Amino acid sequence: MLEVTTDWYLTLAAMLFAIGFMGMMIRKNALIMFMCIELMLNAVNLTFISASKHFGQIDGQVFVFFVLVVAAAEVVVGLAIIVSIFRKQSSASVDVLNVSRG
Amino acid sequence: MVEALLFFAPASLIIIGALIVIFARNPVHNAMGLVMTLVSLAIIYITLNATFVAMVQMLVYAGAVMTLFLFVIMMIGVDKKEQSTDSIKGQTFLVSGVFLILISLLAYVAVSSDFTWDLWFPPVEYDVEGTPQLIAGVLFTDWILPFEIISILLIVATAAAIALAYDIKKRSSNA
């Protein structure tokens, strides 16, 4: 009956990316915004993997590996920044962060 | 039939998990929603013959990254009183509206049969199984320079995280 084509995977990835971007816009907690970045990165990974399957090339999966490593590094540094901001402001809300306002 | 089930069950879990991530009020619930999304994505990767990436996804994302998130949630406390007023007027309402339209449009596109993404070629007939051997064969030959660069990146990120999170005042007063 229903055949699952590459289009379905790409549409799923697009929906996941849209949800991540929407969360980025409506949430104000820096931690939640980080999770939304993770959602968007995962949506991109899904497109890479489905394209890898579609074209029969392994390079897409190698690229996902790189994205994973960069995401891990980004999370490590970002969470350290959030922790040090929290020590100063005792809040993780991005609207409170106006210390460089003139 | 089984193929369709193996797509739609994880796909719906991915979308539900993502919605939990952006709408739940308790940060621990958000983190659990993210775990749901990541694990379901690993299932989809297995169905797409990317077994190595699926395993790395489970270990690195659902394991290490989520543990880090939960550590930070516990460190800075569950901040329940997230500010609900918008600094830009009507931001939440407007963005929700625009994106709900976008997402429902994508869902419509997914179910209507006359739409296809323009992918140049039809899918290949053979399967490429993303085993560790095959990935390593490409990774350590064609992609050796990016591989070395991300090893430097990881060292820099680790050092930066320690430098950022190290509380100098507290340490020097204790000593």
Side-chain angles (χ1 to χ4, degrees):
Chain A
M1 50 162 263
L2 193 56
E3 200 196 348
V4 181
T5 57
T6 312
D7 295 1
W8 290 84
Y9 292 102
L10 293 182
T11 309
L12 175 65
M15 287 173 79
L16 190 58
F17 193 94
I19 293 175
F21 198 87
M22 176 179 164
M24 198 71 195
M25 290 286 164
I26 61 175
R27 295 306 295 258
K28 291 176 194 67
N29 189 331
L31 213 55
I32 313 293
M33 291 171 80
F34 251 82
M35 292 184 195
C36 294
I37 293 177
E38 297 302 316
L39 286 184
M40 289 192 275
L41 284 168
N42 274 289
V44 175
N45 282 353
L46 182 56
T47 47
F48 270 126
I49 300 264
S50 53
S52 169
K53 160 111 172 163
H54 187 88
F55 296 118
Q57 300 275 322
I58 199 77
D59 301 84
Q61 298 183 16
V62 178
F63 230 88
V64 169
F65 181 72
F66 290 136
V67 173
L68 273 167
V69 174
V70 172
E74 169 246 334
V75 163
V76 166
V77 176
L79 289 179
I81 291 173
I82 291 176
V83 167
S84 58
I85 285 171
F86 190 82
R87 284 216 190 99
K88 277 205 168 64
Q89 308 257 1
S90 67
S91 163
S93 172
V94 288
D95 279 352
V96 188
L97 295 177
N98 51 8
V99 281
S100 31
R101 176 181 265 176
Chain B
M1 186 64 207
V2 177
E3 196 197 17
L5 192 71
L6 274 176
F7 172 75
F8 286 109
S12 47
L13 284 178
I14 286 171
I15 298 297
I16 293 168
L19 290 174
I20 291 174
V21 170
I22 66 171
F23 286 122
R25 285 286 135 193
N26 185 335
V28 179
H29 295 169
N30 296 65
M32 289 302 125
L34 191 53
V35 170
M36 192 164 138
T37 301
L38 297 174
V39 172
S40 314
L41 268 170
I43 297 169
I44 287 219
Y45 291 167
I46 291 173
T47 64
L48 285 169
N49 292 328
T51 40
F52 174 70
V53 176
M55 287 305 129
V56 173
Q57 169 97 359
M58 290 292 286
L59 290 174
V60 174
Y61 255 125
V65 170
M66 289 319 301
T67 311
L68 206 60
F69 264 113
L70 286 173
F71 264 135
V72 172
I73 289 171
M74 287 169 197
M75 264 177 90
I76 69 178
V78 178
D79 192 9
K80 269 188 189 149
K81 48 176 190 342
E82 182 180 342
Q83 185 188 4
S84 53
T85 52
D86 294 340
S87 47
I88 304 169
K89 212 172 170 214
Q91 181 191 11
T92 305
F93 181 71
L94 205 67
V95 171
S96 310
V98 169
F99 274 91
L100 285 179
I101 290 170
L102 179 63
I103 291 166
S104 46
L105 200 66
L106 282 168
Y108 168 73
V109 155
V111 293
S112 72
S113 54
D114 52 341
F115 175 85
T116 50
W117 298 82
D118 190 8
L119 288 171
W120 306 314
F121 306 113
V124 292
E125 298 294 325
Y126 54 93
D127 276 348
V128 176
E129 191 75 40
T131 55
Q133 289 93 331
L134 204 53
I135 301 256
V138 184
L139 187 64
F140 294 120
T141 53
D142 296 348
W143 297 91
I144 188 71
L145 183 64
F147 181 78
E148 296 295 341
I149 292 172
I150 57 166
S151 68
I152 298 171
L153 176 78
L154 273 181
I155 298 281
V156 171
T158 315
I162 294 171
L164 278 168
Y166 192 79
D167 202 339
I168 299 165
K169 264 183 274 172
K170 210 189 242 174
R171 295 286 160 182
S172 50
S173 63
N174 283 352

